[in-house]
């Protein structure tokens, strides 16, 4: 029982850029590891890249159809014997509160049969401790953020990724996953979430414009919403104050389409303000349907706009998808819209995947429709699986 606390103590005492070195040293000493590597998931969630000296792209591994990718996708340890059976490599997910950061690779002497459950448990605890420390260390070092880059980010994309809460998270009541494309050149689409003991707030936004202008608009609106949210204001008042902040800066010349939702975790009751183009789809008992609400004005379009909340309820087993217009309005090379039928098909085909994997898979299908050319608009998918609070019926 003292081992995890010893690792955590060493990690707390380490410099931010040294936390992986500490874990590697501990694993080498405890288990005689031949090699220990940390692979970070890139911004597009398609590559696993080693932490180390730039550039990383020459040594990256695909997420799909690789051994470390298996551990990353399944979120469980995966063992692979060496060619000569004298070593075995254990791949362990590095995740914190459901947010998948990467994979820890540990090469051990001996065969797979030589790895006892205690060794696997200890390695998993080291990977978990490392994940928590990376989340803290990223405030003070660029090492892990650099490792996520398969290519250079545009300045607008840099601003947007720094604004986001993560790409997935989970609690007993729900699981969330989200992804933006093009990952290295996004500008206006964004999402945010925050939870308390009894509430989950989710915001999905689509800012007008391109490049830096769109990123600045989204940053202003998101921070205005956070400021109002952290003051304990109602959903309607949060929308009103963010609307005033955007209008005060841009006087209606720029505005932001936004969905705002507050989920009551004990009951599944939901308040919503639909102020723009992001749309909600629901998968309930294998039935896919769009959920429509009264459309209200985007944030910042007019002065002194009053917002009102509507209500609906989620049931255990429901899946909600929040989707920007860059998805359903995407055009094929022949000029055909992706449309609602293709979207419903994508939602159905991913119904067995966990929420954290759904957005990346749906956006990959969208890429097949749109083709490999430059995107006309960025695209966003947020997936929420509702489990309900245990013990509440």
């Amino acid at each position: 029982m003292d081992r995890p606390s010893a690792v955590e103590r060493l990690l707390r005492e380490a410099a931010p850029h040294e936390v992986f070195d500490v874990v590697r040293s501990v694993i080498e000493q405890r288990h005689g590891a031949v090699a220990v590597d940390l692979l970070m998931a890139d911004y597009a969630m398609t590559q696993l890249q080693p932490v180390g000296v730039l550039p990383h792209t020459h040594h990256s591994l695909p997420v799909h159809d690789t051994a470390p990718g298996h551990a990353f996708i399944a979120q469980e340890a995966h063992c692979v014997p060496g060619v000569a059976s004298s070593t075995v490599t254990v791949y362990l997910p590095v995740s914190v509160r459901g947010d998948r950061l990467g994979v820890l690779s540990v090469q051990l002497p001996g065969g797979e049969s030589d790895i006892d459950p205690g060794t696997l448990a200890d390695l998993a605890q080291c990977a978990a401790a490392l994940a928590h420390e990376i989340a803290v260390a990223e405030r003070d070092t660029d090492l892990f953020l650099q490792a996520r880059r398969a290519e250079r980010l545009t300045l607008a994309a840099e601003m947007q990724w720094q604004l986001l809460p993560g790409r997935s998270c989970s609690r007993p009541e729900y699981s969330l996953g989200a992804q933006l494309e093009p990952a290295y050149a996004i500008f206006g689409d964004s999402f945010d979430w925050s939870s308390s003991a009894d509430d989950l707030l989710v915001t999905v936004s689509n800012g007008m414009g391109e490049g830096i202008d769109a990123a600045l608009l989204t940053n202003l609106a998101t921070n205005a919403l956070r400021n109002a949210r952290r003051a304990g204001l109602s959903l309607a008042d949060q929308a009103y104050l963010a609307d005033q902040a955007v209008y005060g800066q841009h006087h209606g010349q720029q505005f932001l389409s936004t969905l705002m939702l507050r989920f009551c975790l004990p009951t599944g009751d939901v308040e919503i303000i639909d102020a723009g183009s992001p749309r909600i789809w629901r998968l309930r008992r294998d039935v896919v349907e769009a959920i429509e609400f009264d459309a209200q004005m985007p944030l910042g379009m007019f002065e002194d706009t009053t917002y009102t909340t509507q209500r609906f309820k989620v049931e255990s087993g429901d899946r909600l998808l929040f989707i920007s217009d860059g998805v359903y309005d995407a055009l094929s090379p022949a000029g055909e819209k992706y449309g609602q039928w293709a979207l419903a098909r994508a939602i159905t085909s991913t119904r067995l995947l966990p929420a954290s994997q759904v957005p990346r898979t749906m956006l990959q299908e969208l890429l097949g429709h749109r083709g490999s050319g430059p995107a006309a608009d960025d695209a966003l998918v947020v997936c929420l699986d509702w489990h309900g609070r245990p013990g509440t019926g």
Side-chain angles (χ1 to χ4, degrees):
M1 294 298 293
D2 62 334
R3 281 187 171 183
S5 60
V7 172
E8 291 163 5
R9 184 172 64 252
L10 289 170
L11 286 170
R12 286 196 296 268
E13 294 170 354
H17 65 280
E18 294 177 338
V19 294
F20 169 56
D21 295 329
V22 168
V23 168
R24 176 166 52 198
S25 177
V26 168
I27 292 175
E28 288 173 346
Q29 293 175 17
R30 287 185 183 174
H31 304 290
V34 177
V36 182
D37 295 297
L38 174 60
L39 307 172
M40 298 291 291
D42 85 314
Y43 285 101
M45 302 289 278
T46 60
Q47 301 288 324
L48 293 167
Q49 311 210 128
V51 171
V53 179
L54 290 171
H56 307 277
T57 54
H58 300 303
H59 307 287
S60 64
L61 295 169
V63 167
H64 294 283
D65 299 323
T66 62
H70 178 93
F72 181 76
I73 293 172
Q75 287 294 286
E76 61 185 20
H78 181 56
C79 300
V80 179
V83 176
S85 299
S86 59
T87 63
V88 60
T89 302
V90 184
Y91 298 101
L92 305 113
V94 177
S95 303
V96 54
R97 294 188 175 91
D99 193 12
R100 304 178 299 163
L101 306 180
V103 173
L104 185 65
S105 168
V106 181
Q107 188 178 16
L108 299 171
E112 187 173 356
S113 60
D114 297 323
I115 302 178
D116 59 83
T119 298
L120 274 180
D122 186 58
L123 293 176
Q125 289 169 342
C126 288
L130 176 60
H132 281 268
E133 201 60 37
I134 288 173
V136 177
E138 282 186 341
R139 300 181 305 180
D140 302 307
T141 180
D142 288 336
L143 178 66
F144 304 105
L145 293 173
Q146 287 175 321
R148 292 173 57 183
R149 295 160 195 243
E151 57 187 87
R152 184 168 179 176
L153 290 173
T154 65
L155 178 55
E158 184 85 50
M159 294 168 64
Q160 289 294 75
W161 282 113
Q162 290 298 305
L163 189 67
L164 300 176
R167 283 175 288 182
S168 54
C169 72
S170 61
R171 276 183 51 173
E173 297 90 348
Y174 62 84
S175 299
L176 269 165
Q179 182 63 23
L180 292 159
E181 285 291 340
Y184 292 87
I186 53 172
F187 33 84
D189 287 1
S190 187
F191 58 88
D192 196 19
W193 54 61
S194 177
S195 65
S196 63
D198 290 325
D199 290 309
L200 166 68
L201 284 93
V202 178
T203 304
V204 182
S205 301
N206 179 9
M208 68 176 296
E210 298 181 357
I212 297 295
D213 289 339
L216 287 170
L217 174 64
T218 302
N219 269 259
L220 171 62
T222 299
N223 281 293
L225 287 168
R226 287 174 175 173
N227 180 258
R229 183 185 76 209
R230 291 164 183 169
L233 301 183
S234 68
L235 205 64
D237 286 340
Q238 291 175 35
Y240 176 79
L241 290 180
D243 172 73
Q244 291 302 290
V246 174
Y247 185 85
Q249 186 69 24
H250 297 288
H251 307 289
Q253 298 301 307
Q254 286 187 285
F255 46 85
L256 196 90
S257 299
T258 307
L259 278 173
M260 300 172 60
L261 303 101
R262 185 199 298 269
F263 294 81
C264 178
L265 300 181
T267 66
D269 293 318
V270 188
E271 292 180 289
I272 181 171
I273 293 174
D274 183 351
S277 61
R279 297 179 184 174
I280 303 180
W281 290 71
R282 180 177 64 199
L283 175 64
R284 174 179 286 176
R285 292 186 285 273
D286 292 331
V287 176
V288 177
E289 59 182 335
I291 307 178
E292 302 290 342
F293 297 95
D294 293 338
Q296 302 181 62
M297 292 297 104
L299 303 182
M301 179 174 280
F302 299 109
E303 189 174 13
D304 291 325
T305 303
T306 300
Y307 293 91
T308 57
T309 57
Q310 295 180 263
R311 295 179 181 273
F312 70 106
K313 193 176 183 70
V314 285
E315 301 177 359
S316 178
D318 279 358
R319 167 168 288 180
L320 299 181
L321 293 114
F322 313 102
I323 298 169
S324 72
D325 59 0
V327 177
Y328 51 79
D329 285 344
L331 298 177
S332 71
E336 298 175 346
K337 269 191 179 183
Y338 190 62
Q340 295 194 11
W341 183 84
L343 191 55
R345 182 184 60 189
I347 293 171
T348 301
S349 67
T350 56
R351 67 189 183 282
L352 299 181
L353 295 178
S356 59
Q357 294 182 35
V358 170
R360 171 70 262 166
T361 304
M362 289 185 63
L363 289 172
Q364 197 66 34
E365 290 191 24
L366 176 69
L367 182 61
H369 169 84
R370 184 177 58 77
S372 57
D377 192 6
D378 42 3
L380 163 64
V381 175
V382 178
C383 179
L384 185 150
D385 282 350
W386 185 259
H387 314 306
R389 175 158 290 179
T392 62

